[in-house]
Amino acid sequence: MIDEELVQLLTPEGERVAHPEYESTLSGDEIFGLYRDMAIIRRLCNESTSLQRQGQLALWAPIQGQEACQIGPGRALDPMDFTFPTYREHGIAWCRGVEPKEMLRIFRAVSNGGWDPYKYRHSVPAIVLGNQTLNAVGYAMGIQRDGAEEAAMTFFGDGASSQGDVLESFVWAASFNAPVVFLCQNNQWGISTPMSVQSKIPLYHRAHGFGFPGIRVDGNDVLAMYEVTKRALDNARVGGGPTLIEAYTYRLGAHTTSDDPTRYRVDAEVEVWRHRDPIERVKSLLVHEYKMKQSKFDEVAEEAEKLALQLREDVLAMDRPDPITMFDDVYAEFHPLIEEGRQEMVDLGVTGGAH
Amino acid sequence: MSQEVFLLPDVGEGLIEAEIVTWKVAVGDTVILNQPLVDVETAKATVELPSPYAGVIVTLHGNPGDMMEVHKPLITFEVGGSGSAPAPAAVVAEEPKVSNSTEGREAVLVGYGVANEEGVATRKNRRSTSPTATATPVAAAPHSSGPVRTTPPVRLLAKQNGLDIASVPGTGRDGVITRADVERALQGGGAAVAAAPRKASVPKTGPMQPTRFVGNDLAPWATGPKEERIPAKGVLKAMAEAMVLSKSTIPHAGVWLKVDATKTMELIAGLKQQPTLEGIRISPLTVIALAVTDAARHFPGINSHWDDATKEAVIKRSMALGIAADTSKGLIVPNIKEADQLDLVGMAQELNLLVDKVRAGTTSLAEMSGTSFTITNVGPFGVDAAMAIIPPGSGAILAVGQVAKAPWVVNDEVVVRQVVELCLSFDHRLIDGALASKVLAHIGNFLTDPAAAIIAG
Ligand SMILES: Cc1ncc(C[n+]2csc(CCOP(=O)(O)OP(=O)(O)O)c2C)c(N)n1
Ligand SMILES: [Mg+2]
């Protein structure tokens, strides 16, 4: 049964709360692992923003505030599951094993994707909103036909929830009972469009209308995110069908480095959510319940620092491919329209590699 | 050691330039990797640029206010070792800042309502004009700031019959104005007797829009604490102190006047058609500001204040015209210096500038001090009049209500006119009722026939 309210296992103050249906199954070390993931991904994200401000990336989509929504599910996934992300899923990519420098290639405009989707069983980011949900359902239907005990999981935002693609994917997932988990990170904003105009009802209620369960989770509570996702994935793998998880969260930073959120939202709103920081509450739990020493947290900070510097070095050392190669991997096979576009670029003189 | 030049990056996908807002470093400073260097403002955002190098600043290639080209030198560094090698002690940019200089929302100037097609401020939003509708006044509130909700054929019907659709109370679902509503209004009737209860357009669930309270967000009624204490800081503190000072030292008195501002509205509508004035926003406030400066030229005593230390009335022959503005931080009153020197277009341009600065949150302290006379325009909030408190340091304040259609008697006949109510509050220590009345009547005459007043000078 789906509870009407938000599933929360850890309060913003880092105190555990009981929930009738879910409880945390993680050990202190495992929780510390989640803390480490979140702290590292936040640091890498900040370095990426700096790199963009220094002219080294064309664009960056910050993750601040949404670390728990991604690290929880990221660690609940099995290596054999397949994930279908959008542009802000750096935390998922991290958990799937994608190297940070691979995450940045698309943002440095040196690749159409950035990594080998089959290597990590994590597809390249869909920038066209909602597209990835159809891919995920298609893949999930493939799993069904292969008789495999795997699940597909896909990620989208509150804004994307209004896309036809997303709703169509709900229909297909429901009709075929596909082993797919939909994770909607409701961060309250689709660029400057507030949540209030995306849906008159809580987003997770939508699933009921399509005929599968929906559940709302405190997206800033990594323990709850982990447990809810794990159960939904387990359920999907054994033929239980799709689940929509609405991670109720907030984008603390800008939509992307091209955006200025102070133009459309008030500081006070951001402040409210800062107090619900996903990383701080886990730290507080670790300190109080597990008596974790500050030195452990310092080690993570150091590790994150090293990774950030490594990332910087890797980005600065990236080759700049011949722009004409951007046409190479659009389709696996020859495509006349792509060839036409490629030829047009050649005629315009767009070739010749680094400049 | 070698020199490295940091070229101004394109921080916003396809920008060609950015303006330097503030340098956070100076020539000779030693900086570490990712240390904030400068705030630049682009067409999209004000952003902070972190240092790509660890080293010493050799040259800053521009000054605050300079527009810099993308991909041209911004800063030259002296760096040790190889150019872009990162320094070991990098600043952890905890929360990369996007901007801090723009206001959290568009400021609505008190006196600068969102102009509609007819150039008439508000009333458009007022629905509850019928007796039945007043029984449920709150029901209309959720729609008060939204556009008129109806269908094109109904809109046309109203237009063909010379009816302002916005003045028709909507009884349809969610307050939609139906054909029957318009027909009823045309017959001179009120709203339907059994008006369907209007549903609030804000869902009960989902994130709630905070309401502003002097620069603070208030939690909604249902979910907020039963009692909340907000410490006096910032605008709240300034407002509280100024108002207590004013109300406890200035013996306030007031005079009121209703004015037929139809010609003012026609003048504005005409000016909007002028190709030479394209891009210049002219509103009722522009004309009212002009009327005020004109009144001061005729009656200098109104542009004055009481100096209690010396027991003197101080008359000023230069007007720093304050305009009360409602911002996300609360009430602020920037002023236009030497407003008396401005003509209509000049006044419009100065007001535009003032509005832009308020919206951008860049109003300086100097622009808020020395006000000699203030206008507060409560019209955009949909009210008819206000009894304003005189800001300390000046002798009078003019409150302007909404410009709205109302019955008006011309040659013993009742006609529909655009009417505005004015209230002039004055310091009775130095300004008496006779002077205040003359000033207000002068302003009223100006608005009644602005073209004539402007020509007469
Ligand atoms: C089909 C489509 N329409 C519009 C866009 C432009 N766009 C990019 S991100 C975005 C907002 C998406 O908001 P949301 O789904 O809430 O995700 P968030 O950015 O908040 O993570 C929009 C409109 C797009 N990429 N694709
Ligand atoms: Mg969103």
Side-chain angles (χ1 to χ4, degrees), chain B residues 430-457:
Chain B
L430 66 158
I431 299 165
D432 57 22
L435 173 59
S437 302
K438 282 178 199 159
V439 167
L440 193 58
H442 188 96
I443 294 169
N445 285 336
F446 194 106
L447 299 179
T448 306
D449 196 350
I454 289 169
I455 294 162

Side-chain angles (χ1 to χ4, degrees), chain A residues 61-62 66 70 86-89 126-131 156-163 165 184-193 195 198 251 254-256:
Chain A
Q66 295 176 232
Q70 298 188 13
T86 170
Y87 45 83
R88 206 186 298 285
E89 269 71 74
I127 309 292
V128 177
L129 295 177
N131 163 72
F156 58 95
D158 45 295
S161 76
S162 300
Q163 285 290 124
D165 281 7
C184 177
Q185 290 173 76
N186 176 0
N187 62 10
Q188 315 303 330
W189 292 94
I191 314 184
S192 55
T193 306
M195 181 49 213
Q198 302 288 0
R251 157 165 68 70
H255 170 69
T256 65

